[in-house]
Amino acid sequence: MSRETINFKNRFVPLLTLGVVLVISAANCLAITSDKEMKDYLVKNSIFSKDDISKLESGEMIARLLPNDDKRGVEVCGIISVNASPDTGLKAFYDTMSRENKASILALGKFSESPSIEDLQSLTLDKHEIEGIKQCRVGNCGMRFSAEMIERFQKEIDWNSADYSQQVNSLFKEMILDYVKSYLLKGDSALIEY
């Protein structure tokens, strides 16, 4: 299974996290061996009820608002049953995200079987994102980073240097690579806490 990285202008980290969650969900779904186990998983680990699962079984789409402390946005989770293999679903997702008419997508790539920094070669934060990172402090950051990530940006970047943008991009790639490798080793326990 390929692991997707999506770079969206001014929204990279939340959407990368969504991409990782999608990969995690796909991995969890593949590990579930029966229809009953999948339904139990959806009820136990999400906001869906048994009634929602009954609706899903009858062919209806189910959707719920997710709890969200950030009043600037709305988070929604929806599920529809599709009779297709996981590979077909991932290919359709990749094809949709790679269409050129998606103006918000700046880059799309894959992690290799053994993720490396070269997999993130096309990943570049824009000036607005870098300036946002410069202002980030633990507990007060417009980007969705862990406290450890924010502290690394503050300690490891020479913000007075003329090349601080390059430093930020390099460190960001390192942290994303570390995050992916950590997830591959530890699974869900490696997910970022904001």
Side-chain angles (χ1 to χ4, degrees):
M1 176 188 310
S2 65
R3 288 155 182 89
E4 305 295 329
T5 302
I6 306 165
N7 181 3
F8 289 82
K9 186 173 187 178
N10 299 329
R11 299 275 188 228
F12 180 80
V13 173
L15 291 169
L16 175 67
T17 303
L18 171 64
V20 171
V21 170
L22 288 172
V23 170
I24 292 164
S25 298
N28 285 337
C29 291
L30 292 173
I32 296 170
T33 57
S34 75
D35 191 43
K36 181 184 179 330
E37 286 176 304
M38 177 61 152
K39 292 171 192 165
D40 291 346
Y41 178 85
L42 289 171
V43 171
K44 180 181 176 190
N45 295 295
S46 72
I47 60 168
F48 295 107
S49 68
K50 290 183 180 185
D51 289 340
D52 292 326
I53 300 305
S54 296
K55 290 177 184 177
L56 184 63
E57 288 173 334
S58 67
E60 291 182 51
M61 182 185 86
I62 55 175
R64 292 287 174 262
L65 288 173
L66 298 174
N68 181 12
D69 293 334
D70 185 353
K71 301 303 177 202
R72 296 174 294 175
V74 176
E75 296 179 18
V76 178
C77 180
I79 301 175
I80 188 166
S81 181
V82 177
N83 190 15
S85 71
D87 288 340
T88 302
L90 286 174
K91 182 182 181 320
F93 175 76
Y94 180 81
D95 290 347
T96 299
M97 298 313 293
S98 63
R99 288 193 186 127
E100 290 185 36
N101 64 355
K102 300 279 186 181
S104 62
I105 299 175
L106 300 178
L108 183 70
K110 295 180 184 180
F111 284 106
S112 56
E113 195 62 35
S114 296
S116 69
I117 202 74
E118 288 78 24
D119 297 333
L120 298 167
Q121 188 174 16
S122 66
L123 173 61
T124 306
L125 297 168
D126 67 26
K127 183 179 179 179
H128 176 75
E129 292 165 325
I130 292 170
E131 292 306 312
I133 292 169
K134 186 176 184 179
Q135 303 305 314
C136 273
R137 300 294 180 266
V138 175
N140 184 18
C141 183
M143 308 283 280
R144 292 191 176 195
F145 293 125
S146 68
E148 178 186 345
M149 292 171 89
I150 294 169
E151 289 168 358
R152 285 190 68 188
F153 279 121
Q154 297 310 313
K155 290 178 184 173
E156 296 179 35
I157 302 299
D158 178 359
W159 293 103
N160 295 316
S161 171
D163 73 339
Y164 74 84
S165 292
Q166 292 172 328
Q167 292 178 44
V168 171
N169 275 299
S170 294
L171 181 57
F172 184 65
K173 289 176 188 179
E174 272 181 47
M175 288 191 288
I176 295 300
L177 181 61
D178 291 346
Y179 184 50
V180 169
K181 286 181 174 180
S182 179
Y183 173 73
L184 291 173
L185 289 173
K186 300 177 187 173
D188 292 355
S189 66
L191 292 177
I192 290 176
E193 287 187 30
Y194 302 114

